[in-house]
C-alpha cells in the first residue's frame, strides 16, 4: 500500500479551522479508498509562536519539513505581527528553499456556485493560472536608507532569471498541451511600462512557444488582462504570470468564481526533490477568526489537489464531486456563500456525502 506523510501547518486565525476540516476529509477518503495511507505531524508555527519565540519557525524548521511528502498549510499572519515578518519568516522560505517555483491556482466555477458575473456558467469559467513563485517582484532585493529624514527612500528590485522564467513558461505550455481544452496560453506582461524585465519575459514566451507550436499564444498587458477576466473569461485556458501579477490576478480570479472562501492553490516542486505545499489562497481572516464560520471549501479543494499530486487521482476526484454535491444541494454552506452553516458542518457534510457515495 502506498503511504504519504503530511506536515500540517494550520497557522493563524481561520487557518486552524479550515485545516481541521481538510484533514477530516482526507482521513475519510483515505479510509474509503483503501489504496493508500496517510500520516500527519502538526507544527504550531504561527504568529502566536512568533510572540513566544521571536521567530515564525525554529531555525531547523526547513530541515524538519524536508522529509515529508507534502505540506498542508492554513494561513499565516495576524494583527500584532507585521505581514512582511510573518510572510518572510515562514511561507516564502518554504516556497523558495523547496524550489516550489510553480503556483497553481485554478479559476473554475464549481457546481452549485453562482458567479457574480452575469450570464456566466461553468462552461465559461474554467481555466488555470500559473504564477511564478520564487522570484520576480517578490525577490527581497533592495533596501532603505535615510529613514526618519527628509531623504527617506526605499528601492525594491525585481529579479527575472533565464532559468526562473523558462521553467515556469515551459510548465505552463506543457499544461496547456496536456490538459488545456482550448490549447491556448495567455502570458501576462506590462512591457510598455516595465521596460527591462517584462520585454525579457515576453522574449522567453516567444522562445518557449517554439517548443509548443500547436499552442495558441497571446501576450496581454496585465491591466487589460484584469478587464478580460471580467468581460470575457471564457477565452482563457492556461494563464501564466510573474509572481506579483499572478498574485493580484488570482484574487480577481477567485472573486469571479465565488470568492476567497473557495480559491485553492498549490506550490509545486515539479521535480519532487522537495515537498510541495498546498494552501488556500485566502489569509487568516482576522475579521471572522474564532467565529467558526470560515468556508473550508478552499482548504478541502487543496486537499484534493494534494492527492492528485500524489497520483491518487480517483480519491482526488471523489473529493471534488462530494464537495460540489454539497454546494449544489445548498443546505450546508457558510455565510460567505449566503448560508448559515459552520466550518465544521460543511466539513462533516462533505465527509458524509463521501461515505454515502463510496461507503
Ligand atoms: P484574507 O484572505 O484573510 O481575508 C480577506 C477577506 O476574505 C476577509 O473579509 C475574510 O473574512 C474573507 N475570507 C477569507 N477567507 C475566507 C473563508 N475561508 N471563508 C469566508 N471568508 C473568508 O486576507 P487579508 O485580510 O488581506 O489578510 C489577513 C491576514 O492573512 C494578513 O495577516 C495577511 O498577511 C495574511 N495572509 C496570509 C496568506 C497566507 O498565509 N497564504 C495569504 C493572504 C493573506
Ligand atoms: Mg495573494
Amino acid at each position: 500500500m502506498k503511504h504519504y506523510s503530511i506536515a500540517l501547518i494550520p497557522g493563524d486565525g481561520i487557518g486552524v479551522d479550515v485545516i481541521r476540516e481538510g484533514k477530516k476529509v482526507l482521513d475519510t477518503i483515505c479510509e474509503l479508498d483503501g489504496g493508500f495511507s496517510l500520516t500527519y505531524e502538526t507544527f504550531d508555527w504561527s504568529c502566536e509562536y512568533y510572540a513566544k519565540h521571536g521567530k515564525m519557525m525554529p531555525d531547523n524548521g526547513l530541515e524538519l519539513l524536508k522529509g515529508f511528502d507534502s505540506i498542508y498549510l492554513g494561513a499565516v499572519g495576524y494583527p500584532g505581527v507585521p505581514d512582511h515578518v510573518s510572510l518572510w519568516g515562514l511561507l516564502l522560505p518554504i516556497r523558495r528553499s523547496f524550489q516550489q517555483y510553480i503556483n497553481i491556482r485554478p479559476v473554475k466555477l464549481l457546481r452549485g456556485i453562482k458567479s457574480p458575473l452575469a450570464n456566466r456558467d461553468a462552461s465559461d469559467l474554467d481555466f488555470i493560472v500559473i504564477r511564478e513563485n520564487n522570484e520576480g517582484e517578490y525577490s527581497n532585493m533592495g533596501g532603505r536608507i535615510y529613514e526618519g529624514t527628509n531623504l527617506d527612500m526605499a528601492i525594491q528590485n525585481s529579479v527575472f532569471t533565464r532559468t526562473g522564467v523558462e521553467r515556469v513558461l515551459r510548465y505552463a505550455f506543457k499544461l496547456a498541451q496536456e490538459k488545456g481544452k482550448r490549447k491556448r496560453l495567455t502570458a501576462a506582461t506590462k512591457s510598455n511600462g516595465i521596460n527591462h524585465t517584462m520585454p525579457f519575459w515576453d522574449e522567453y514566451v516567444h522562445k518557449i512557444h517554439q517548443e509548443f507550436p500547436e499552442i495558441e499564444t497571446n501576450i496581454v498587458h496585465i491591466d487589460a488582462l484584469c478587464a478580460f477576466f471580467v468581460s470575457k473569461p471564457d477565452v482563457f485556458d492556461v494563464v501564466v504570470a510573474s509572481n506579483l501579477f499572478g498574485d493580484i490576478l488570482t484574487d480577481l480570479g477567485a472573486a469571479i468564481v465565488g470568492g476567497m472562501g473557495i480559491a485553492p492553490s498549490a506550490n509545486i516542486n515539479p521535480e519532487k526533490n522537495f515537498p510541495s505545499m498546498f494552501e488556500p489562497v485566502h489569509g487568516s481572516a482576522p475579521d471572522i477568526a474564532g467565529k467558526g464560520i470560515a468556508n473550508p471549501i478552499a482548504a478541502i479543494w487543496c486537499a484534493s489537489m494534494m492527492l492528485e499530486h500524489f497520483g491518487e487521482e480517483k480519491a482526488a476526484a471523489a473529493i471534488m464531486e462530494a464537495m460540489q454535491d454539497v454546494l449544489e444541494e445548498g443546505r450546508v454552506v457558510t455565510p460567505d456563500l449566503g448560508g448559515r452553516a459552520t466550518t465544521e458542518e460543511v466539513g462533516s457534510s462533505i465527509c458524509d456525502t463521501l461515505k454515502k457515495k463510496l461507503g
Side-chain angles (χ1 to χ4, degrees), residues 214-267:
E214 71 284 15
I215 302 297
E216 184 196 328
T217 303
N218 300 297
I219 299 178
V220 182
H221 288 303
I222 185 67
D223 37 0
L225 190 52
C226 286
F228 292 154
F229 265 36
V230 174
S231 61
K232 47 177 192 180
D234 53 306
V235 304
F236 298 111
D237 197 2
V238 174
V239 177
V240 63
S242 63
N243 212 334
L244 170 69
F245 290 172
D247 188 7
I248 298 173
L249 205 51
T250 47
D251 269 31
L252 179 57
I256 60 175
V257 293
M260 296 305 285
I262 290 172
S265 86
N267 304 278

Side-chain angles (χ1 to χ4, degrees), residues 68-315:
F68 287 87
D69 291 310
S70 82
I71 302 163
Y72 188 31
L73 181 134
V76 289
Y78 218 70
V81 179
D83 284 344
H84 68 274
V85 172
S86 49
L87 198 66
W88 284 96
L90 182 71
L91 211 54
L92 294 188
I94 294 174
R95 286 180 182 168
R96 276 149 213 238
S97 307
F98 293 160
Q99 288 292 296
Q100 298 166 347
Y101 58 86
I102 299 296
N103 191 223
I104 307 179
R105 300 190 165 190
V107 178
K108 180 180 162 68
L109 190 66
L110 298 179
R111 245 185 321 115
I113 302 278
K114 199 169 168 298
S115 171
L117 303 180
N119 306 320
R120 292 294 187 183
D121 60 26
S123 65
D124 299 314
L125 290 160
D126 185 6
F127 56 94
I128 296 181
V129 180
I130 299 297
R131 166 186 172 191
E132 199 292 318
N133 215 25
N134 276 12
E135 55 172 41
E137 303 87 345
Y138 296 179
S139 287
N140 194 20
M141 297 285 275
R144 176 125 177 215
I145 52 171
Y146 303 130
E147 217 174 322
T149 76
N150 286 342
L151 298 173
D152 196 8
M153 70 172 272
I155 291 181
Q156 181 95 39
N157 293 308
S158 292
V159 175
F160 285 73
T161 65
R162 176 177 177 167
T163 304
V165 171
E166 280 192 348
R167 65 186 181 181
V168 70
L169 292 174
R170 199 168 276 122
Y171 186 96
F173 272 110
K174 199 152 165 271
L175 187 70
Q177 187 182 55
E178 286 169 5
K179 295 212 176 137
K181 284 191 215 125
R182 303 178 176 97
K183 305 288 172 222
R184 185 179 290 160
L185 181 124
T186 309
T189 190
K190 191 62 193 170
S191 52
N192 51 358
I194 303 174
N195 64 338
H196 296 297
T197 52
M198 281 297 139
F200 177 89
W201 167 272
D202 296 353
E203 203 179 298
Y204 281 101
V205 174
H206 291 302
K207 176 167 176 259
I208 306 299
H209 184 198
Q210 287 170 17
E211 296 171 24
F212 302 86
E214 71 284 15
I215 302 297
E216 184 196 328
T217 303
N218 300 297
I219 299 178
V220 182
H221 288 303
I222 185 67
D223 37 0
L225 190 52
C226 286
F228 292 154
F229 265 36
V230 174
S231 61
K232 47 177 192 180
D234 53 306
V235 304
F236 298 111
D237 197 2
V238 174
V239 177
V240 63
S242 63
N243 212 334
L244 170 69
F245 290 172
D247 188 7
I248 298 173
L249 205 51
T250 47
D251 269 31
L252 179 57
I256 60 175
V257 293
M260 296 305 285
I262 290 172
S265 86
N267 304 278
I268 301 289
N269 171 243
E271 295 79 20
K272 297 197 177 181
N273 295 330
F274 299 100
S276 291
M277 177 163 65
F278 300 81
E279 49 160 341
V281 171
H282 67 71
S284 58
D287 55 338
I288 57 165
K291 295 187 176 156
I293 53 162
N295 193 343
I297 295 285
I300 293 169
W301 190 342
C302 290
S304 166
M305 290 172 86
M306 186 187 338
L307 292 180
E308 199 181 329
H309 179 71
F310 290 156
E312 300 296 339
E313 262 109 18
K314 193 159 62 72

